[in-house]
Amino acid sequence: MSDPIRPAATVILTRPGANGPQVLMGQRGAGAVFMPSKVVFPGGGVDPADHAAPRAGYLTETCTRRLGLHVPAGAPGADVVVAAALRELAEETGLTVPAPALGALRFVFRAITPPGRTRRFDARFLMADAAALPGDQDDLTAASGELSHLRWITLP
């Protein structure tokens, strides 16, 4: 019997850079069960606390509707996915998206870990403009350490 597919959420932070658009990414630890040593966007599984503290007002109606398409019964709603994404971003990078601003997050895609992996996730990827973040976008000193080598990467 295979392990259940766990809901997850990820934030892709973007900003303009001197040589083109940049995204914030970090490296998972070598001992991580899921995707060890891989460079990833900040994100992770939906926790019970996310269900208790849904975050409304960040997605447009269109993004909310799209986020809920073709998901299994009992999948967390859009506001719970947003709560998980914002919590993971804050934990893994120390950066926070300010109080709800409609359209501050945009649902861009969904990815389900293929069968045969140690753990499987049904992840929703949300995008945010780093210009909306309070404080210094380069100050990652409040990061938890779950992701190492946090850095802004210029897209080719």
Side-chain angles (χ1 to χ4, degrees):
M1 180 175 172
S2 64
D3 287 334
I5 300 173
R6 184 173 176 203
T10 299
V11 175
I12 303 168
L13 279 180
T14 64
R15 72 178 189 185
N19 297 312
Q22 295 181 322
V23 292
L24 183 64
M25 300 186 84
Q27 185 174 14
R28 293 184 48 80
V33 175
F34 183 74
M35 295 183 68
S37 302
K38 302 294 186 220
V39 176
V40 298
F41 299 111
V46 173
D47 288 345
D50 301 322
H51 290 274
R55 304 284 297 271
Y58 287 89
L59 297 170
T60 64
E61 184 179 320
T62 300
C63 282
T64 299
R65 182 183 53 74
R66 287 181 53 233
L67 197 143
L69 292 175
H70 310 293
V71 297
D79 295 346
V80 173
V81 170
V82 167
L86 295 178
R87 177 186 49 75
E88 288 285 344
L89 177 69
E91 287 174 6
E92 294 181 353
T93 69
L95 300 174
T96 58
V97 175
L102 192 59
L105 296 173
R106 293 176 311 279
F107 172 59
V108 290
F109 68 94
R110 174 183 178 201
I112 301 173
T113 311
R117 304 295 175 131
T118 307
R119 291 202 177 138
R120 296 191 65 202
F121 292 94
D122 183 349
R124 305 314 193 292
F125 287 75
L126 306 174
M127 186 175 284
D129 184 347
L133 302 178
D136 182 356
Q137 301 164 8
D138 293 309
D139 181 5
L140 303 169
T141 57
S144 67
E146 188 174 337
L147 295 179
S148 62
H149 308 295
L150 278 166
R151 62 193 174 279
W152 288 96
I153 298 172
T154 301
L155 299 175

